[in-house]
Amino acid sequence: MNMKKFLSILALALSAAALCACGGPASADDPYEALNKMLQADYSEVALTVTTTFSEDLSLTSSYIITDAEGDKKVSYSVERFPAIDPEGSAAGADGEFAPYTLTGEAVYRGGELISATGEAALPAAVRGLRFRKEYFTNAQLTGVMLRADVTDAAGFLGTEIVCTDMKVEATFLEYLFDINIGYLDADGNRVEYAYRFTV
Amino acid sequence: MRKTGKILLTAVCAAFIAGALAGPFCLSAAYAADADYYAPVTAAGGTQLLGQLHDLITTTHTHYSSYSECRDNTKNTDPALNGEKGVVEFYTHETIEYYINDISTPKNQGTWNREHVWPKACSNGLWGTEGGGADMHHIRPSEVTLNGARGNKKFGEAANGGEVYSKTTDGNNSKPGGRQAGNVFEPLDDVKGDVARIVLYVYTHYNTYANVYGSTNGARGDNVERYFGTLRFTDIVSASSEEAAIGLLLEWNELDPVDAIERTRNEEAYKVQGNRNPYIDHPEYAGKIWESADPPDGDPAAAAAFHAAVGSIVQEGSLAAQYASLQRAAAAYRALTETQRQAAEEDADKFEAAVREFNEAVAACNGAAKRAEDGALGAAGGLLGGGGQ
């Protein structure tokens, strides 16, 4: 092997190492850290659907689309709510059908902080984020493409205080995340499902 | 004998000439034959007349058509004019040859389907495709595109609105069928009376007797009470009050007198169902009922409607069932005068307590959804530039 060829190979190896250090496709030894790195990767779009089910035929579903906006993150949302009754209100819509109405809007986050919002619903002012750690889970099945586990430390896993039971997580991935599904029963026994869908 | 023959011949000729002169009014002979139909109606006006008409058209309504029967019956109730093949379209009076399933055209344009003049979405959940939703006095054939354009819009004045058209089977505009502006649809002038008389019929028939001061909710021996409930004119007419809504209907009833199309279908529907639309036979009934001044302390029918609605409030079971019953009570509550609300204090308290309890349950659901959403977004921190935990 001549010197020129050796230097080319060395340069390629260094480039690959730098790419991994900068948050590119994960290859860490700790498979949970590899998942955390995938969370930090650049996705062109993340779609989040949150469904809260109160009974067999009664649920609310909200959708969020997260995209890049000149270095910030733009969230476009569509949030369902049940209507209350106003005894003095207009008769318009009083057709006897109990159906959710929808609130829509947009918000921009920078560094996890809400910096602007337009629309009809209030979004959290600051967010922290998921973290995958072995000690958060039990009954974990983790392969090179899939994680399935019961969550024993929900607050640690979600990065936010939460009162719930029976939380489970499923994630599929390869070099990047494909989807993460989280389900649990909230404090009132309602079934809650988060579904994150990632597009590179 | 010769004299008798002459008299007989004269009588026959007179009858023939009278029949020829009667021409367009020949159907009045059918009314004469059914003069007994209105024998039970003795009230001079007001809610008493309304109640008597309610009792009459519900007790004589001996056959409730299925929705598929409606389609077949329409070919007899609404035959095309001038002997053409097809049916006469409700809003344009043009001939439509094909029923929606009889021929394949893009978006079914140029064919007809069954128009609920009082849409089910405006019926407080009272009908879908049976009961009032399959009543031949209510259902009219309408060109599919025009029917879709009218949708669930309320009737009203839309002078500045855009024209809406029926379509040919080729998809071209055929004839104007009215105007629309926002959630308001205004039919052509020569259809306004038809609309008014159908709305008055539906209101008179399908309100419970408590709402119209009648005494029956259907034909004797039939289990048809499920078809009856609370209807208000503001459910179907775009107006600021019940008085304004009925005012518009009375105006339309006068503007566009009963025509041959309505008379024909009244006869045919009578053959099928056993009852008649009294506002076609006697358009003057509308004025006698609703032009009489209400008592100063409000319409007694409104107070009765509120009492009945409060008695029907669902407080157990699904939120959907509670919502429907509370919306009916709310509509009845809004129709009361302040004096009536004070007089109905006990009912008003029950109603307000039920609304409060319902709204608390709704707030609990919405709060749970909000907490779940905040949790999910919070968990997305790393995806929102937060860098994770």
Side-chain angles (χ1 to χ4, degrees):
Chain A
M1 181 184 300
N2 62 30
M3 180 59 74
K4 193 175 176 185
K5 196 168 184 182
F6 172 74
L7 286 174
S8 299
I9 292 170
L10 184 65
L12 272 173
L14 287 173
S15 300
L19 185 64
C20 289
C22 292
S27 62
D29 290 340
D30 179 351
Y32 291 101
E33 275 311 309
L35 286 173
N36 290 327
K37 277 186 176 297
M38 289 184 200
L39 280 171
Q40 300 296 319
D42 280 332
Y43 295 97
S44 61
E45 181 181 297
V46 179
L48 165 62
T49 305
V50 184
T51 304
T52 307
T53 303
F54 305 98
S55 64
E56 194 175 327
D57 55 357
L58 204 64
S59 64
L60 291 172
T61 299
S62 300
S63 303
Y64 302 83
I65 303 291
I66 302 169
T67 51
D68 274 319
E70 299 174 355
D72 297 324
K73 295 291 181 182
K74 186 175 86 174
V75 179
S76 304
Y77 63 83
S78 164
V79 172
E80 286 187 346
R81 292 288 182 266
F82 289 129
I85 287 181
D86 175 6
E88 299 286 0
S90 160
D95 55 7
E97 187 179 342
F98 183 62
Y101 63 95
T102 303
L103 305 175
T104 58
E106 289 184 352
V108 176
Y109 282 82
R110 179 179 299 160
E113 304 282 334
L114 181 66
I115 59 169
S116 69
T118 57
E120 304 163 301
L123 269 54
V127 291
R128 291 178 61 199
L130 287 171
R131 184 166 179 81
F132 292 95
R133 296 179 71 166
K134 185 178 180 182
E135 56 267 36
Y136 294 158
F137 306 125
T138 187
N139 299 324
Q141 301 171 49
L142 178 57
T143 71
V145 295
M146 178 273 290
L147 165 69
R148 181 179 297 145
D150 296 337
V151 181
T152 51
D153 183 352
F157 173 48
L158 296 183
T160 185
E161 286 305 315
I162 184 168
V163 180
C164 69
T165 57
D166 194 29
M167 180 180 284
K168 296 179 188 302
V169 59
E170 284 188 17
T172 60
F173 48 85
L174 198 55
E175 283 184 277
Y176 294 91
L177 286 161
F178 295 145
D179 54 47
I180 302 174
N181 294 298
I182 299 168
Y184 62 85
L185 295 175
D186 72 7
D188 299 317
N190 304 312
R191 169 60 58 186
V192 177
E193 307 280 347
Y194 304 168
Y196 301 86
R197 302 281 179 267
F198 298 83
T199 305
V200 177
Chain B
M1 185 64 194
R2 187 183 295 172
K3 191 175 179 183
T4 306
K6 192 173 178 183
I7 291 171
L8 186 61
L9 184 62
T10 305
V12 168
C13 287
F16 180 80
I17 292 166
L21 285 174
F25 306 105
C26 61
L27 279 168
S28 59
Y31 295 148
D34 289 307
D36 287 347
Y37 185 80
Y38 291 98
V41 179
T42 56
T47 53
Q48 198 183 357
L49 175 56
L50 177 62
Q52 287 184 353
L53 292 178
H54 167 82
D55 289 353
L56 176 65
I57 63 179
T58 57
T59 53
T60 55
H61 192 164
T62 51
H63 177 71
Y64 283 80
S65 299
S66 69
Y67 203 46
S68 57
E69 279 180 291
C70 265
R71 177 195 57 215
D72 297 334
N73 292 338
T74 295
K75 291 163 188 170
N76 295 324
T77 55
D78 298 81
L81 303 177
N82 306 319
E84 292 180 357
K85 185 181 175 188
V87 301
V88 58
E89 204 277 339
F90 180 43
Y91 292 113
T92 61
H93 288 176
E94 67 184 321
T95 296
I96 303 279
E97 184 171 355
Y98 299 109
Y99 178 66
I100 186 170
N101 294 333
D102 291 346
I103 183 174
S104 175
T105 74
K107 300 176 185 175
N108 298 314
Q109 58 206 6
T111 64
W112 64 270
N113 58 8
R114 292 155 284 191
E115 157 78 328
H116 290 81
V117 176
W118 191 315
K120 54 188 175 183
C122 303
S123 74
N124 284 326
L126 202 53
W127 57 74
T129 53
E130 63 169 12
D135 185 323
M136 292 311 302
H137 290 296
H138 173 201
I139 305 295
R140 299 292 292 266
S142 179
E143 192 277 323
V144 170
T145 319
L146 194 50
N147 195 350
R150 190 271 158 133
N152 297 329
K153 293 181 182 68
K154 294 184 178 185
F155 292 111
E157 306 284 0
N160 296 323
E163 273 192 320
V164 288
Y165 288 83
S166 61
K167 296 276 187 186
T168 65
T169 52
D170 297 329
N172 297 315
N173 283 345
S174 182
K175 285 193 173 179
R179 291 180 177 276
Q180 62 176 11
N183 192 37
V184 179
F185 179 81
E186 180 175 359
L188 300 179
D189 282 351
D190 62 355
V191 181
K192 285 177 176 172
D194 303 46
V195 167
R197 288 179 283 275
I198 290 171
V199 168
L200 295 176
Y201 165 86
V202 171
Y203 178 93
T204 304
H205 187 303
Y206 291 100
N207 265 309
T208 60
Y209 62 78
N211 300 113
V212 293
Y213 270 31
S215 61
T216 177
N217 282 340
R220 288 180 296 273
D222 285 354
N223 176 27
V224 295
E225 292 212 348
R226 65 185 184 278
Y227 298 146
F228 294 80
T230 301
L231 295 169
R232 304 204 66 80
F233 289 119
T234 43
D235 293 336
I236 181 68
V237 176
S238 176
S240 57
S241 66
E242 282 293 290
E243 290 73 19
I246 187 61
L248 183 70
L249 294 173
L250 294 178
E251 187 184 316
W252 285 7
N253 181 43
E254 197 164 333
L255 170 77
D256 170 32
V258 176
D259 58 27
I261 295 173
E262 288 175 276
R263 290 191 185 104
T264 298
R265 68 184 328 283
N266 199 25
E267 291 305 321
E268 293 298 324
Y270 175 48
K271 289 178 192 168
V272 174
Q273 300 187 170
N275 70 340
R276 308 182 65 88
N277 181 339
Y279 302 103
I280 290 175
D281 293 336
H282 293 280
E284 74 281 6
Y285 280 164
K288 287 181 177 177
I289 293 169
W290 283 287
E291 278 175 356
S292 55
D294 282 330
D297 61 347
D299 180 0
F306 179 59
H307 179 69
V310 169
S312 303
I313 288 175
V314 176
Q315 287 188 278
E316 301 291 332
S318 72
L319 285 178
Q322 292 179 45
Y323 181 81
S325 70
L326 286 170
Q327 283 289 37
R328 283 194 288 274
Y333 183 70
R334 285 189 284 268
L336 299 181
T337 63
E338 195 52 43
T339 309
Q340 286 177 309
R341 288 181 184 186
Q342 288 167 6
E345 187 180 359
E346 194 176 331
D347 282 338
D349 287 349
K350 278 185 199 169
F351 167 62
E352 285 166 10
V355 167
R356 199 162 43 245
E357 196 174 319
F358 173 84
N359 284 347
E360 284 170 3
V362 162
C365 288
N366 289 340
K370 167 72 173 152
R371 284 190 294 279
E373 290 153 8
D374 285 354
L377 267 184
L383 309 169
L384 294 170
Q389 297 176 57

